[in-house]
């Protein structure tokens, strides 16, 4: 078990790669904070992890919002006592995301807010807790 006694926060864990990572990391011993903007999907992942014998909790957060990212990191600390693995996985490929001429500015902004700013915010608030010495947790 490569992640025994570790805590992993996975954004976009309600689906696809994020959900499969949650199941894999839990099998390797990690407690998982399942983060997703979709409450139903996030809740399903928690159930799947628990059914497989793992530990998981759900936190709703929109990774494009700084306050949400602060709150998801605080939740990892409150729920599981710290953070060891930060997977900024959440991302979108909007149906209206097309070429430069036909893509609306709002779709461009949304895509960058989630796919780029979301990673920045996850790192901004998550890395300090990942880097905190165990004694300080
Ligand atoms: N699947 C691929 O082939 C592929 C290829 C290259 C990159 N990626 C990237 O990998 C990541 C996961 O891909 P996937 O195929 O599993 O995607 P997916 O659409 O299956 O899952 C993405 C999850 O992110 C959540 N999400 C969307 N916006 C969010 C937000 N603002 N805040 C929090 N959660 C949000 C969704 O609710 C969903 O559960 C994405 O960043 C995607 O761009 C995927």
């Amino acid at each position: 078990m490569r992640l025994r006694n570790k805590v992993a926060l996975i954004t976009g864990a309600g689906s696809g790669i994020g959900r499969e990572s949650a199941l894999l990391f839990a099998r390797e011993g990690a407690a998982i904070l399942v983060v997703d903007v979709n409450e139903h999907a996030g809740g399903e992942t928690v159930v799947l992890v628990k059914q497989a014998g793992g530990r998981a909790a759900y936190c709703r957060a929109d990774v494009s919002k700084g306050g949400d990212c602060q709150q998801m990191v605080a939740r990892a600390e409150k729920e599981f006592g710290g953070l060891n693995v930060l997977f900024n996985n959440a991302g979108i490929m909007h149906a209206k995301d097309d070429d430069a001429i036909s893509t609306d500015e709002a779709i461009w902004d949304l895509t960058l807010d989630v796919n780029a700013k979301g990673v920045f915010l996850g790192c901004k608030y998550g890395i300090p807790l990942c880097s905190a010495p165990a004694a300080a947790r």
Side-chain angles (χ1 to χ4, degrees):
M1 282 195 160
R2 290 175 294 177
L3 295 175
R4 189 193 301 274
N5 297 327
K6 303 294 185 191
V7 178
L9 184 165
I10 305 174
T11 67
S15 167
I17 294 167
R19 174 175 285 177
E20 291 306 316
S21 299
L23 289 164
L24 176 62
F25 293 3
R27 276 201 300 279
E28 291 291 339
I32 315 296
L33 189 71
V34 171
V35 174
D36 206 288
V37 75
N38 182 328
E39 294 183 25
H40 179 72
E44 277 185 353
T45 299
V46 169
V47 169
L48 290 170
V49 170
K50 288 183 175 174
Q51 281 175 347
R55 286 193 300 152
Y58 170 68
C59 177
R60 188 199 176 280
D62 177 344
V63 298
S64 70
K65 310 273 189 257
D68 283 18
C69 290
Q70 273 185 288
Q71 166 247 317
M72 74 184 182
V73 171
R75 178 76 187 281
E77 185 168 32
K78 186 173 176 213
E79 192 82 32
F80 298 121
L83 187 59
N84 306 102
V85 179
L86 172 65
F87 185 7
N88 292 303
N89 162 75
I92 58 169
M93 189 177 287
H94 201 283
K96 292 182 178 169
D97 182 357
D98 200 353
D99 61 31
I101 295 166
S102 48
T103 300
D104 287 347
E105 191 177 336
I107 299 298
W108 170 269
D109 286 343
L110 176 64
T111 301
L112 269 287
D113 278 355
V114 176
N115 294 2
K117 189 179 170 193
V119 174
F120 159 69
L121 291 170
C123 291
K124 178 176 179 61
Y125 296 113
I127 287 174
L129 183 58
C130 284
S131 308
R137 288 181 183 163

